[in-house]
Coordinates of all heavy atoms in Angstrom, one line a residue:
T233 N 0.8 -1.2 0.0 CA 0.0 0.0 0.0 C 0.9 1.3 0.0 O 2.1 1.2 0.3 CB -0.9 0.0 1.2 OG1 -0.2 0.1 2.4 CG2 -1.8 -1.2 1.3
F234 N 0.3 2.4 -0.4 CA 1.0 3.6 -0.5 C 0.8 4.5 0.8 O 1.4 5.6 0.8 CB 0.6 4.3 -1.7 CG 1.0 3.6 -3.0 CD1 0.2 2.6 -3.6 CD2 2.3 3.9 -3.6 CE1 0.6 2.0 -4.7 CE2 2.6 3.3 -4.7 CZ 1.8 2.2 -5.3
G235 N -0.1 4.0 1.6 CA -0.4 4.9 2.9 C -0.8 6.3 2.5 O -1.7 6.4 1.6
K236 N -0.3 7.3 3.1 CA -0.7 8.7 2.9 C 0.3 9.4 1.8 O 0.3 10.6 1.8 CB -0.7 9.4 4.2 CG -1.7 8.9 5.1 CD -1.9 9.8 6.3 CE -3.0 9.2 7.3 NZ -3.2 10.1 8.4
A237 N 1.1 8.6 1.2 CA 2.0 9.1 0.2 C 1.3 9.8 -1.0 O 0.1 9.4 -1.3 CB 3.0 8.1 -0.3
R238 N 1.9 10.8 -1.6 CA 1.4 11.5 -2.8 C 1.7 10.5 -3.9 O 2.8 9.9 -3.9 CB 1.9 12.8 -2.9 CG 1.5 13.7 -1.8 CD 1.8 15.2 -1.9 NE 1.3 15.8 -3.1 CZ 0.1 16.2 -3.4 NH1 -0.9 16.0 -2.6 NH2 -0.1 16.8 -4.6
V239 N 0.8 10.4 -4.8 CA 0.9 9.4 -6.0 C 0.5 10.1 -7.3 O -0.1 11.1 -7.4 CB 0.1 8.2 -5.7 CG1 0.5 7.4 -4.4 CG2 -1.4 8.5 -5.7
K240 N 1.0 9.4 -8.3 CA 0.6 9.7 -9.7 C -0.2 8.4 -10.1 O 0.2 7.3 -9.9 CB 1.9 9.8 -10.5 CG 1.6 9.8 -12.0 CD 2.9 9.9 -12.8 CE 2.6 10.0 -14.2 NZ 3.9 10.1 -15.0
V241 N -1.4 8.7 -10.7 CA -2.2 7.5 -11.1 C -2.4 7.6 -12.6 O -2.7 8.7 -13.2 CB -3.6 7.6 -10.5 CG1 -4.5 6.5 -11.0 CG2 -3.4 7.5 -8.9
I242 N -2.2 6.5 -13.4 CA -2.5 6.5 -14.8 C -3.5 5.4 -15.0 O -3.4 4.2 -14.6 CB -1.2 6.0 -15.6 CG1 0.0 7.1 -15.4 CG2 -1.5 5.9 -17.0 CD1 1.2 6.7 -16.0
C243 N -4.7 5.8 -15.5 CA -5.8 5.0 -15.8 C -5.9 4.7 -17.3 O -6.0 5.7 -18.1 CB -7.1 5.6 -15.3 SG -7.1 5.8 -13.5
T244 N -5.8 3.4 -17.7 CA -5.9 3.1 -19.2 C -7.1 2.3 -19.4 O -7.2 1.2 -18.8 CB -4.6 2.4 -19.6 OG1 -3.4 3.3 -19.2 CG2 -4.6 2.2 -21.1
R245 N -7.8 2.7 -20.4 CA -9.0 1.9 -20.8 C -8.6 1.2 -22.1 O -8.4 2.0 -23.1 CB -10.2 2.8 -21.0 CG -11.4 2.2 -21.5 CD -12.6 3.2 -21.6 NE -13.7 2.6 -22.3 CZ -13.9 2.7 -23.6 NH1 -13.2 3.4 -24.4 NH2 -14.9 2.1 -24.2
H246 N -8.6 0.0 -22.2 CA -8.3 -0.7 -23.4 C -9.7 -1.1 -24.1 O -10.4 -1.9 -23.5 CB -7.6 -2.0 -23.1 CG -6.2 -1.8 -22.6 ND1 -5.1 -1.7 -23.3 CD2 -5.8 -1.5 -21.3 CE1 -4.0 -1.4 -22.5 NE2 -4.5 -1.3 -21.3
Y247 N -10.0 -0.5 -25.2 CA -11.4 -0.6 -25.7 C -11.3 -1.3 -27.1 O -10.4 -1.3 -27.8 CB -12.0 0.8 -25.8 CG -11.3 1.6 -26.9 CD1 -11.8 1.7 -28.2 CD2 -10.2 2.3 -26.6 CE1 -11.3 2.4 -29.2 CE2 -9.6 3.1 -27.6 CZ -10.1 3.1 -28.9 OH -9.5 3.8 -29.9
C248 N -12.5 -1.8 -27.5 CA -12.8 -2.3 -28.8 C -13.9 -1.6 -29.4 O -14.9 -1.4 -28.7 CB -13.1 -3.9 -28.7 SG -13.1 -4.7 -30.2
G249 N -13.8 -1.1 -30.5 CA -14.9 -0.3 -31.1 C -14.6 1.2 -31.1 O -13.5 1.6 -31.5
T250 N -15.5 2.0 -30.5 CA -15.3 3.4 -30.6 C -14.7 4.0 -29.2 O -15.3 3.6 -28.2 CB -16.7 4.2 -30.9 OG1 -17.2 3.6 -32.1 CG2 -16.5 5.7 -31.1
P251 N -13.8 4.9 -29.2 CA -13.4 5.4 -27.9 C -14.4 6.3 -27.3 O -15.2 6.9 -28.0 CB -12.1 6.1 -28.3 CG -12.2 6.5 -29.8 CD -13.0 5.4 -30.3
M252 N -14.3 6.4 -26.0 CA -15.3 7.3 -25.3 C -14.8 8.7 -25.4 O -13.6 9.0 -25.5 CB -15.3 6.9 -23.8 CG -16.0 5.7 -23.4 SD -16.0 5.5 -21.6 CE -17.0 4.1 -21.4
D253 N -15.7 9.7 -25.2 CA -15.3 11.1 -24.9 C -14.5 11.0 -23.7 O -14.7 10.2 -22.8 CB -16.5 12.0 -24.7 CG -17.4 12.2 -25.9 OD1 -16.9 11.9 -27.0 OD2 -18.5 12.6 -25.8
F254 N -13.5 11.9 -23.5 CA -12.6 11.8 -22.4 C -13.2 12.1 -21.0 O -12.8 11.5 -20.0 CB -11.4 12.7 -22.6 CG -10.2 11.9 -23.4 CD1 -10.2 12.1 -24.7 CD2 -9.4 11.1 -22.7 CE1 -9.3 11.4 -25.4 CE2 -8.5 10.3 -23.4 CZ -8.4 10.5 -24.8
D255 N -14.3 12.9 -21.0 CA -14.9 13.1 -19.7 C -15.7 11.8 -19.2 O -15.7 11.5 -18.1 CB -15.9 14.3 -19.8 CG -17.0 14.2 -20.9 OD1 -16.8 13.5 -21.8 OD2 -18.0 15.0 -20.7
N256 N -16.2 11.1 -20.2 CA -16.9 9.8 -19.9 C -15.8 8.7 -19.6 O -16.0 7.8 -18.7 CB -17.7 9.3 -21.1 CG -18.9 10.2 -21.3 OD1 -19.4 10.8 -20.3 ND2 -19.3 10.3 -22.5
A257 N -14.6 8.7 -20.3 CA -13.6 7.8 -19.9 C -13.1 8.0 -18.5 O -12.9 7.0 -17.7 CB -12.5 7.9 -21.0
A258 N -12.9 9.3 -18.1 CA -12.4 9.6 -16.8 C -13.5 9.1 -15.8 O -13.1 8.6 -14.7 CB -12.2 11.1 -16.7
A259 N -14.8 9.3 -16.0 CA -15.8 9.0 -15.1 C -15.9 7.4 -15.0 O -16.3 7.0 -13.9 CB -17.1 9.5 -15.6
S260 N -15.5 6.7 -16.0 CA -15.6 5.3 -16.0 C -14.6 4.7 -14.9 O -14.8 3.5 -14.5 CB -15.4 4.7 -17.3 OG -14.0 4.8 -17.7
F261 N -13.7 5.4 -14.4 CA -12.7 5.0 -13.4 C -13.1 5.3 -11.9 O -12.5 4.9 -11.1 CB -11.4 5.5 -13.7 CG -10.6 4.8 -14.8 CD1 -10.7 5.3 -16.1 CD2 -9.9 3.6 -14.7 CE1 -10.1 4.6 -17.2 CE2 -9.3 3.0 -15.7 CZ -9.4 3.4 -16.9
K262 N -14.3 6.1 -11.8 CA -14.6 6.4 -10.5 C -14.8 5.3 -9.5 O -14.1 5.3 -8.4 CB -16.0 7.2 -10.6 CG -16.5 7.6 -9.1 CD -17.8 8.2 -9.1 CE -18.2 8.6 -7.7 NZ -17.4 8.5 -6.6
Y263 N -15.5 4.2 -9.9 CA -15.8 3.2 -8.9 C -14.5 2.3 -8.7 O -14.3 1.8 -7.5 CB -17.0 2.3 -9.4 CG -18.3 3.0 -9.3 CD1 -18.9 3.3 -10.6 CD2 -18.9 3.5 -8.2 CE1 -20.1 4.2 -10.6 CE2 -20.0 4.1 -8.2 CZ -20.6 4.5 -9.4 OH -21.8 5.2 -9.3
L264 N -13.7 2.3 -9.7 CA -12.4 1.5 -9.5 C -11.5 2.2 -8.5 O -10.9 1.7 -7.7 CB -11.7 1.3 -10.9 CG -10.6 0.4 -11.0 CD1 -10.8 -0.9 -10.4 CD2 -10.1 0.3 -12.4
L265 N -11.4 3.6 -8.6 CA -10.6 4.4 -7.7 C -11.2 4.3 -6.3 O -10.5 4.2 -5.4 CB -10.4 5.8 -8.2 CG -9.4 6.0 -9.4 CD1 -9.4 7.4 -9.9 CD2 -8.0 5.6 -9.0
D266 N -12.5 4.4 -6.2 CA -13.2 4.3 -5.0 C -12.9 2.9 -4.2 O -12.6 2.9 -3.1 CB -14.7 4.4 -5.0 CG -15.2 5.8 -5.3 OD1 -14.3 6.8 -5.2 OD2 -16.3 6.0 -5.7
A267 N -12.8 1.9 -5.0 CA -12.5 0.5 -4.5 C -11.0 0.5 -4.0 O -10.7 -0.2 -3.1 CB -12.7 -0.5 -5.6
I268 N -10.1 1.2 -4.8 CA -8.7 1.2 -4.4 C -8.5 1.9 -3.1 O -7.7 1.6 -2.2 CB -7.9 1.9 -5.5 CG1 -7.8 0.9 -6.7 CG2 -6.5 2.3 -5.1 CD1 -7.2 1.5 -8.0
V269 N -9.2 3.0 -2.9 CA -9.3 3.7 -1.5 C -9.8 2.8 -0.5 O -9.3 2.6 0.6 CB -10.0 5.1 -1.7 CG1 -10.2 5.7 -0.2 CG2 -9.3 6.0 -2.6
K270 N -11.0 2.2 -0.7 CA -11.6 1.3 0.3 C -10.7 0.2 0.7 O -10.7 -0.3 1.8 CB -13.0 0.8 -0.3 CG -13.8 0.1 0.8 CD -15.2 -0.2 0.3 CE -16.0 -0.9 1.4 NZ -17.4 -1.0 1.0
A271 N -10.0 -0.3 -0.3 CA -9.0 -1.4 0.0 C -7.8 -1.0 0.7 O -7.0 -1.9 1.2 CB -8.6 -2.1 -1.4
G272 N -7.6 0.3 0.9 CA -6.5 0.8 1.7 C -5.2 0.9 0.8 O -4.1 1.1 1.4
I273 N -5.3 0.9 -0.5 CA -4.1 0.9 -1.3 C -3.6 2.4 -1.3 O -2.4 2.6 -1.3 CB -4.4 0.4 -2.7 CG1 -4.7 -1.1 -2.6 CG2 -3.2 0.7 -3.7 CD1 -5.3 -1.7 -3.9
I274 N -4.5 3.4 -1.5 CA -4.1 4.7 -1.3 C -5.0 5.4 -0.3 O -6.2 4.8 0.0 CB -4.2 5.5 -2.6 CG1 -5.6 5.5 -3.2 CG2 -3.2 5.1 -3.6 CD1 -5.8 6.4 -4.5
A275 N -4.6 6.5 0.4 CA -5.4 7.0 1.5 C -6.7 7.7 1.0 O -7.7 7.6 1.7 CB -4.5 8.0 2.3
D276 N -6.7 8.3 -0.1 CA -7.8 9.2 -0.6 C -7.7 9.3 -2.1 O -6.6 9.2 -2.7 CB -7.8 10.5 0.1 CG -9.0 11.3 -0.2 OD1 -10.1 10.7 -0.3 OD2 -8.9 12.5 -0.3
D277 N -8.8 9.6 -2.8 CA -8.7 9.9 -4.2 C -8.9 11.4 -4.5 O -9.1 11.7 -5.6 CB -9.8 9.1 -4.9 CG -11.2 9.3 -4.6 OD1 -11.4 10.1 -3.6 OD2 -12.1 8.8 -5.1
G278 N -8.5 12.2 -3.5 CA -8.6 13.6 -3.7 C -7.2 14.2 -4.1 O -6.2 13.5 -4.1
P279 N -7.2 15.5 -4.3 CA -5.9 16.1 -4.8 C -4.8 16.2 -3.7 O -3.6 16.4 -4.1 CB -6.3 17.6 -5.1 CG -7.7 17.7 -4.4 CD -8.3 16.4 -4.3
K280 N -5.1 15.9 -2.4 CA -4.0 15.9 -1.4 C -3.3 14.6 -1.5 O -2.1 14.5 -1.1 CB -4.7 16.0 0.0 CG -5.2 17.3 0.3 CD -5.7 17.4 1.8 CE -6.1 18.8 2.1 NZ -6.7 18.9 3.5
T281 N -3.9 13.6 -2.1 CA -3.2 12.3 -2.3 C -2.7 12.1 -3.8 O -1.6 11.7 -4.1 CB -4.1 11.1 -1.9 OG1 -4.4 11.3 -0.5 CG2 -3.4 9.8 -2.1
I282 N -3.7 12.3 -4.7 CA -3.3 12.1 -6.1 C -2.8 13.4 -6.7 O -3.7 14.3 -6.9 CB -4.5 11.6 -6.9 CG1 -5.0 10.3 -6.4 CG2 -4.2 11.5 -8.4 CD1 -6.2 9.7 -7.0
E283 N -1.6 13.6 -6.9 CA -1.0 14.8 -7.5 C -1.2 14.8 -8.9 O -1.3 15.9 -9.5 CB 0.5 14.9 -7.1 CG 1.2 16.2 -7.6 CD 2.6 16.3 -7.1 OE1 2.8 16.1 -5.8 OE2 3.4 16.5 -7.9
E284 N -1.1 13.7 -9.6 CA -1.3 13.7 -11.0 C -2.1 12.5 -11.4 O -2.0 11.4 -10.9 CB 0.1 13.6 -11.7 CG 0.0 13.7 -13.3 CD 1.5 13.6 -13.9 OE1 2.4 13.8 -13.2 OE2 1.5 13.2 -15.1
W285 N -3.1 12.8 -12.4 CA -4.0 11.7 -12.7 C -4.2 11.8 -14.3 O -4.5 12.9 -14.9 CB -5.4 11.9 -12.1 CG -6.4 10.9 -12.5 CD1 -6.3 9.6 -12.6 CD2 -7.8 11.1 -12.7 NE1 -7.4 9.0 -12.9 CE2 -8.4 9.9 -13.0 CE3 -8.6 12.2 -12.8 CZ2 -9.7 9.8 -13.4 CZ3 -9.9 12.1 -13.2 CH2 -10.5 10.9 -13.4
T286 N -3.8 10.7 -15.0 CA -3.9 10.7 -16.4 C -4.9 9.6 -16.9 O -4.8 8.4 -16.2 CB -2.5 10.3 -17.0 OG1 -1.6 11.3 -16.6 CG2 -2.5 10.3 -18.5
V287 N -5.7 9.9 -17.8 CA -6.6 8.9 -18.4 C -6.2 8.7 -19.8 O -6.0 9.6 -20.6 CB -8.1 9.5 -18.3 CG1 -9.0 8.4 -19.0 CG2 -8.4 9.7 -16.9
R288 N -6.0 7.4 -20.2 CA -5.6 7.1 -21.6 C -6.7 6.1 -22.1 O -7.3 5.4 -21.3 CB -4.3 6.4 -21.5 CG -3.2 7.2 -21.0 CD -1.8 6.5 -20.9 NE -1.5 5.8 -22.1 CZ -1.0 4.6 -22.1 NH1 -0.7 3.9 -21.0 NH2 -0.7 4.0 -23.3
Q289 N -6.8 6.0 -23.4 CA -7.5 5.0 -24.1 C -6.6 4.4 -25.2 O -6.0 5.1 -26.0 CB -8.7 5.7 -24.8 CG -9.7 6.3 -23.7 CD -11.0 6.7 -24.4 OE1 -11.9 5.8 -24.6 NE2 -11.1 8.0 -24.7
V290 N -6.7 3.1 -25.2 CA -5.8 2.3 -26.1 C -6.7 1.3 -26.8 O -7.5 0.6 -26.2 CB -4.7 1.6 -25.4 CG1 -3.9 0.7 -26.3 CG2 -3.8 2.5 -24.6
K291 N -6.6 1.2 -28.1 CA -7.4 0.3 -29.0 C -6.9 -1.1 -28.7 O -5.8 -1.5 -28.7 CB -7.2 0.6 -30.4 CG -8.0 -0.3 -31.3 CD -9.3 0.3 -31.7 CE -10.0 -0.4 -32.8 NZ -11.3 -0.1 -32.9
A292 N -7.9 -2.0 -28.3 CA -7.6 -3.4 -28.0 C -7.7 -4.2 -29.3 O -8.5 -3.8 -30.2 CB -8.6 -4.0 -26.9
E293 N -7.0 -5.3 -29.3 CA -7.1 -6.1 -30.6 C -8.3 -7.0 -30.7 O -8.7 -7.3 -31.8 CB -5.8 -7.1 -30.5 CG -4.5 -6.4 -30.7 CD -3.4 -7.3 -30.8 OE1 -3.5 -8.5 -31.0 OE2 -2.2 -6.8 -30.6
S294 N -9.0 -7.2 -29.5 CA -10.2 -8.0 -29.6 C -11.1 -7.7 -28.3 O -10.6 -7.0 -27.5 CB -9.9 -9.5 -29.5 OG -9.3 -9.9 -28.4
R295 N -12.4 -8.1 -28.4 CA -13.2 -7.9 -27.2 C -12.6 -8.6 -26.0 O -12.7 -8.1 -24.9 CB -14.6 -8.5 -27.5 CG -15.4 -7.7 -28.4 CD -16.8 -8.1 -28.5 NE -17.6 -7.2 -29.3 CZ -18.3 -6.1 -28.7 NH1 -18.2 -5.9 -27.5 NH2 -18.9 -5.4 -29.6
K296 N -11.9 -9.8 -26.1 CA -11.3 -10.5 -25.0 C -10.2 -9.7 -24.4 O -9.9 -9.8 -23.2 CB -10.9 -11.8 -25.4 CG -12.0 -12.8 -25.6 CD -11.4 -14.2 -25.8 CE -12.6 -15.2 -25.9 NZ -12.1 -16.6 -25.9
A297 N -9.6 -8.8 -25.1 CA -8.5 -8.0 -24.7 C -8.9 -6.7 -24.0 O -8.1 -6.0 -23.5 CB -7.6 -7.7 -25.9
Q298 N -10.2 -6.4 -24.0 CA -10.7 -5.2 -23.4 C -10.4 -5.3 -21.9 O -10.7 -6.3 -21.3 CB -12.2 -5.0 -23.6 CG -12.5 -4.7 -25.0 CD -14.0 -4.4 -25.3 OE1 -14.3 -3.3 -25.6 NE2 -14.9 -5.4 -25.0
K299 N -10.0 -4.2 -21.2 CA -9.8 -4.1 -19.8 C -9.6 -2.7 -19.4 O -9.4 -1.8 -20.2 CB -8.6 -5.0 -19.5 CG -7.3 -4.5 -20.1 CD -6.1 -5.3 -19.7 CE -4.9 -4.9 -20.4 NZ -3.7 -5.8 -20.0
M300 N -9.6 -2.5 -18.1 CA -9.3 -1.3 -17.5 C -8.1 -1.5 -16.5 O -8.0 -2.5 -15.8 CB -10.4 -0.7 -16.7 CG -11.6 -0.4 -17.5 SD -13.1 0.1 -16.6 CE -12.7 1.8 -16.2
E301 N -7.1 -0.6 -16.7 CA -5.8 -0.8 -16.0 C -5.5 0.5 -15.2 O -5.7 1.6 -15.7 CB -4.7 -1.0 -17.0 CG -3.3 -1.2 -16.5 CD -2.3 -1.4 -17.6 OE1 -2.6 -1.0 -18.8 OE2 -1.2 -2.0 -17.3
V302 N -5.1 0.3 -13.9 CA -4.7 1.5 -13.1 C -3.2 1.1 -12.6 O -3.0 0.1 -12.1 CB -5.7 1.5 -11.9 CG1 -5.2 2.7 -10.9 CG2 -7.1 1.8 -12.3
Q303 N -2.4 2.2 -12.9 CA -1.0 2.1 -12.4 C -0.9 3.2 -11.3 O -1.4 4.4 -11.6 CB 0.0 2.4 -13.5 CG -0.1 1.2 -14.6 CD 0.8 1.6 -15.8 OE1 0.4 2.5 -16.6 NE2 1.9 1.0 -15.9
I304 N -0.2 3.0 -10.3 CA 0.0 3.9 -9.2 C 1.5 4.0 -8.9 O 2.1 3.0 -8.7 CB -0.8 3.5 -7.9 CG1 -2.3 3.3 -8.2 CG2 -0.6 4.6 -6.8 CD1 -3.1 2.7 -7.1
F305 N 1.9 5.3 -8.9 CA 3.4 5.5 -8.7 C 3.5 6.4 -7.4 O 2.9 7.5 -7.4 CB 4.1 6.1 -9.9 CG 4.0 5.3 -11.1 CD1 2.8 5.6 -12.0 CD2 4.8 4.3 -11.4 CE1 2.7 4.8 -13.2 CE2 4.7 3.5 -12.5 CZ 3.6 3.8 -13.4
K306 N 4.4 6.1 -6.5 CA 4.7 7.0 -5.4 C 5.6 8.1 -5.9 O 6.6 7.9 -6.6 CB 5.4 6.2 -4.3 CG 5.6 6.9 -3.1 CD 6.2 6.0 -2.0 CE 6.6 6.8 -0.7 NZ 7.1 5.9 0.2
L307 N 5.3 9.3 -5.4 CA 6.1 10.5 -5.8 C 7.1 10.8 -4.7 O 7.0 10.4 -3.6 CB 5.2 11.7 -6.1 CG 4.2 11.5 -7.3 CD1 3.4 12.7 -7.5 CD2 5.1 11.2 -8.6

């Protein structure tokens, strides 16, 4: 876990078909980040903990390859 450390979070959505508008792509990670906080991996999902947050969309090769990925880096 990262405790109360400040972190950088990169959220990547691997999609098949049409990419989402970026505001919708960012919103699609809300429950995943809430679960990461609830699990105690990071202290909070607010700006005091997450210094930088990046949302990316990457074309997947197939429907089976679709996934959501979250990378967390301690600063």
Side-chain angles (χ1 to χ4, degrees):
T233 66
F234 294 88
K236 294 185 179 185
R238 294 191 51 79
V239 297
K240 171 183 177 179
V241 178
I242 301 173
C243 297
T244 305
R245 177 180 171 264
H246 298 263
Y247 70 93
C248 191
T250 305
M252 289 181 173
D253 291 342
F254 273 94
D255 58 341
N256 293 328
S260 71
F261 283 94
K262 179 188 178 4
Y263 295 111
L264 189 51
L265 285 174
D266 287 346
I268 288 169
V269 171
K270 189 171 183 174
I273 297 169
I274 60 175
D276 188 34
D277 59 357
K280 289 184 179 179
T281 301
I282 299 176
E283 184 171 309
E284 183 179 340
W285 181 43
T286 303
V287 176
R288 299 175 49 219
Q289 296 189 81
V290 177
K291 183 91 171 164
E293 292 183 19
S294 67
R295 285 190 174 269
K296 286 187 175 185
Q298 292 184 119
K299 62 182 177 180
M300 295 175 78
E301 176 182 27
V302 177
Q303 297 172 288
I304 304 171
F305 302 93
K306 185 177 178 179
L307 297 177

